[in-house]
Amino acid sequence: MSTKTVVPLRRRSNPLNGKHTNGVSVDGQSRRIGSVNSEMENIVKKTDNGYANGGGGGGGRSKASFLTWTARDAVYVARHHWIPCLFAVGVLFFTGVEYTLQMIPARSEPFDIGFVATRSLNRVLASSPDLNTVLAALNTVFVGMQTTYIVWTWLMEGRPRATISACFMFTCRGILGYSTQLPLPQDFLGSGVDFPVGNVSFFLFYSGHVAGSMIASLDMRRMKRFRLAMLFDILNVLQSIRLLGTRGHYTIDLAVGVGAGILFDSFAGKYEEMMSKRHNLGNGFSLISKDSLVK
C-alpha cells in the first residue's frame, strides 16, 4: 500500500490586515486557533464590563462603566481629550458662580461684560457723532455684502442652501425677539444710517448681523473660498465690537448669533438632503422642478 503525504490545509490570510488565524505565521510567530479564540473572548468580556448591569448583552455579569476605569485611562483622557475636560472644569466653576452670585436688582440695568470691556469705545462714539455715523454706514455696507452674497448663491449659482438658512434664521429670530423683548440699553447710540436703516426699533435677541455673516462665511468655506470667508470673519468680529460699543446688542445676542448661523446652516443642509431623497434628485438639491431642469 502506497503512503500519501497529507498536507495540512491553511486558511487564506485576512485581506484587511494580512494576518493568518489558523496556525499560520502571524508577524513571524505561530498562533493556534484556540489562542485566537481565547483572545477574542477576553476582548468581548472586557467590552461587556464597560456596560452597566443588563446593558450591552452582558447580563448580570456586566459591571458599571466607571468600575473599569484606571489612572492610566484618566491620563489618556486628559492628554487626548483636553477640550471636553476643559469644559467639564467650566461646568464646575460656573456652578459655583451661579450659587454664589448676587442677582441684578429688578430696576437696574442688565450686567453685560461686553459693555464693561467697551466702555472707552462707547465714550468715544458718544463724543464723536460723526465717527459713529461713519462706522454705522460701514456696518450697513457689510450687511449689504452678506445679503448680496446669500441671495447671489441662489439666484446666480443655483445653490439655495444659504438663502434657506437665512430664511430659517431670521424667522426664528423674529419669534424669539418678540417672545422675550429685552430693554434697550440706556447708553444706546443710534444712527440713521445703521441697519435697520432709519434708526427704527429692532429685536435684540439674537444678532441677525452676526448670524447672517456666519451663514455667508460657512457657505464660502464649503466652496473653498477661504480668503473671502476669512475677510467676512474679521469684519464680523469688528462689527461685534462696534455693536457692543454702541450698545446695539448685548454680548449674549452676539454669542447666540454665532451659534444660530451654524445651527440654521446645518438645518438647511438637512432640509436639502431630505428633499433630494424624497424627489430623487441625483444631481443635488434645487428649488426648480425636475421638469424645468430638463427643459
Side-chain angles (χ1 to χ4, degrees):
M1 180 180 295
S2 61
T3 60
K4 296 183 179 179
T5 303
V6 179
V7 180
L9 296 177
R10 295 184 177 182
R11 284 187 176 183
R12 294 181 180 178
S13 60
N14 191 328
L16 297 178
N17 54 21
K19 297 181 178 180
H20 302 272
T21 58
N22 193 14
V24 190
S25 175
V26 180
D27 296 333
Q29 297 180 356
S30 178
R31 177 178 293 179
R32 295 179 179 275
I33 297 178
S35 64
V36 174
N37 292 338
S38 177
E39 182 179 349
M40 293 300 296
E41 289 176 0
N42 291 334
I43 294 175
V44 172
K45 290 180 180 179
K46 186 175 181 180
T47 304
D48 284 343
N49 289 337
Y51 295 93
N53 290 336
R61 297 178 301 165
S62 60
K63 299 179 181 178
S65 177
F66 73 91
L67 294 178
T68 65
W69 297 352
T70 63
R72 185 177 181 180
D73 295 330
V75 173
Y76 177 85
V77 170
R79 289 183 57 188
H80 299 279
H81 301 285
W82 59 270
I83 293 179
C85 288
L86 185 63
F87 277 90
V89 173
V91 170
L92 297 177
F93 174 77
F94 284 107
T95 298
V97 170
E98 187 172 356
Y99 271 87
T100 57
L101 186 67
Q102 294 295 321
M103 298 296 289
I104 301 298
R107 295 185 179 181
S108 299
E109 277 279 288
F111 171 79
D112 193 298
I113 194 171
F115 287 8
V116 175
T118 56
R119 280 175 178 169
S120 58
L121 178 59
N122 179 260
R123 287 194 294 265
V124 170
L125 295 177
S127 61
S128 304
D130 292 338
L131 176 61
N132 183 40
T133 300
V134 170
L135 295 180
L138 292 175
N139 205 155
T140 300
V141 171
F142 179 48
V143 173
M145 292 167 58
Q146 301 172 24
T147 306
T148 300
Y149 179 85
I150 290 172
V151 176
W152 177 279
T153 59
W154 172 36
L155 296 182
M156 305 304 294
E157 299 180 2
R159 297 184 300 104
R161 176 168 174 171
T163 305
I164 295 173
S165 177
C167 290
F168 288 171
M169 183 270 292
F170 278 108
T171 300
C172 289
R173 175 180 178 270
I175 294 172
L176 294 177
Y178 182 81
S179 300
T180 302
Q181 300 174 33
L182 301 177
L184 193 67
Q186 293 181 1
D187 297 333
F188 171 66
L189 302 174
S191 173
V193 296
D194 201 358
F195 184 84
V197 178
N199 202 17
V200 297
S201 60
F202 57 93
F203 293 130
L204 286 168
F205 189 85
Y206 42 84
S207 174
H209 288 75
V210 172
S213 180
M214 281 300 304
I215 290 173
S217 176
L218 290 170
D219 185 86
M220 292 169 186
R221 282 180 164 78
R222 274 194 301 273
M223 301 305 296
K224 302 187 184 305
R225 298 165 178 168
F226 297 115
R227 292 185 178 180
L228 189 57
M230 181 65 68
L231 174 62
F232 264 58
D233 290 339
I234 293 173
L235 294 176
N236 201 6
V237 172
L238 294 177
Q239 84 166 344
S240 298
I241 296 174
R242 188 196 75 88
L243 289 169
L244 289 174
T246 61
R247 308 305 190 240
H249 271 297
Y250 293 105
T251 302
I252 193 173
D253 305 332
L254 306 176
V256 175
V258 174
I262 297 173
L263 176 66
F264 290 110
D265 177 77
S266 176
F267 281 175
K270 293 183 182 300
Y271 175 80
E272 283 190 341
E273 182 180 354
M274 178 186 68
M275 298 306 293
S276 295
K277 291 180 180 179
R278 179 176 298 180
H279 297 284
N280 298 320
L281 297 175
N283 294 327
F285 177 81
S286 175
L287 294 179
I288 303 175
S289 66
K290 294 175 66 176
D291 296 336
S292 299
L293 291 175
V294 172
K295 294 179 180 179

